[in-house]
Amino acid sequence: MTTTPPPHAPLHGITVADFSRVLAGPWATMTLGDLGAKIIKIERPEHGDDTRSWGPPYDNEGMATYFQSVNRNKQSIALNLKDPDDIELARRLVREADIVVDNFLPGTLDRAQLSNAEIHELNPRAIIARVSGFGSSGAGHGRPGYDFVIQALGGLMHITGERDGDPMKVGVALVDLLTARDLTIGVLAALRQRDLTGVGTLVEVNLLSSLQAALANQAQAVIGADVEPGRLGNTHPSICPYETLSCREGQLAVAIGNDPQFTKFVTELGIPHIASDSRFATNPARVKHRATLRPILEDALQAAPADEWEHRLVDLGLAVGRVATISEGIELAREVGIDPVVELERDGHTSRGIRHPVRYTPEFPIPAVGAPDLDADGDALRAYLRAQPASTQTHSTNTSNERRSPASQR
């Protein structure tokens, strides 16, 4: 085995049987791994996780960076869940695990003798965490759900893009990531519940529900005021100016949250008189007269490039920023004292990833192991699992931590 979590990480001693693939499930299990849990990733023998082939780009070792982005701090074992011997190994692993995660179509693991009931018969303490597109019952049962399709069906695409342009997806698979965070929250709550009750529970999330919860004020406008939001480009339906504005060079994202901030803003732009104009003196008035206000602001902003305006306006305490690239954003994080990159190592190979975003005081050591090759830990895991009793034996409901998992044997 190649990883041993630091002893003081919060989830040290927790083992996760990770049957998930692509993004939502793997992002959630990677988060649990960042917190010290042992993540054993079960993959198909032929090609592994779908995202192993989602490239370019690839790193200098030939691994897809998409796969790397959500699979650090994990071990990999290749199991054919149609093969009786591999099904038996999977069941033995589940019996030893604290958490079992999958995002197959509902019912897929049932065929591998790993239905909810069978998992809890094997291991009453197991927390079962399952992701689906549209829920595990009802008319959406069995309907596949990819992030892109959920963005369309759930309304996010309808409110994203220019007012008169086509609906647009967000530039990252945001629904998958929102769902992954919901799953992580649910699993952590279930671990606490198990501390109290001694038994595991089923945690279910679906992409559509996670998106709808994250639509926040836009969804509330529909159910609370019967107002259907539309596309506004980079503007905000309730705040102005809260948008991107063109400068002599580049664009500036401007978020003015109240009237005193607006006065500071236009004074620095050299047009202080408009702060007392009845069309612009209050936020509701500015929202109403946005089309008139915007060209006035952009005309004043032609006096300097976006990066100069950024420095001047930030010095006044205003929330503005030039529209930057991802690499420029990473450099900004370094400049403001946030180290966004973590150095990873696995089997003599080094790589880098985006650091887990939560900070703790006092700090605890966080695992930093690169994403595994397919079946990288398979031999050791299979040897361990074959040495365990057959999966027909159920797990004790004892709430102590005396049992030893395949992860904690290392």
Side-chain angles (χ1 to χ4, degrees), residues 146-163:
Y146 272 80
D147 175 282
F148 177 62
V149 175
I150 302 296
Q151 286 197 38
L153 289 171
L156 180 59
M157 199 178 293
H158 180 74
I159 62 172
T160 304
E162 293 299 328
R163 184 189 301 270

Side-chain angles (χ1 to χ4, degrees), residues 15 31 53 64 101 155 170 176 189 237 248 294-296 318 329 354 363:
T15 298
T31 301
S53 64
V101 180
V170 180
D176 275 336
R248 189 171 71 200
R294 182 184 177 94
I296 296 172
L318 298 178
I354 293 295
E363 292 185 340

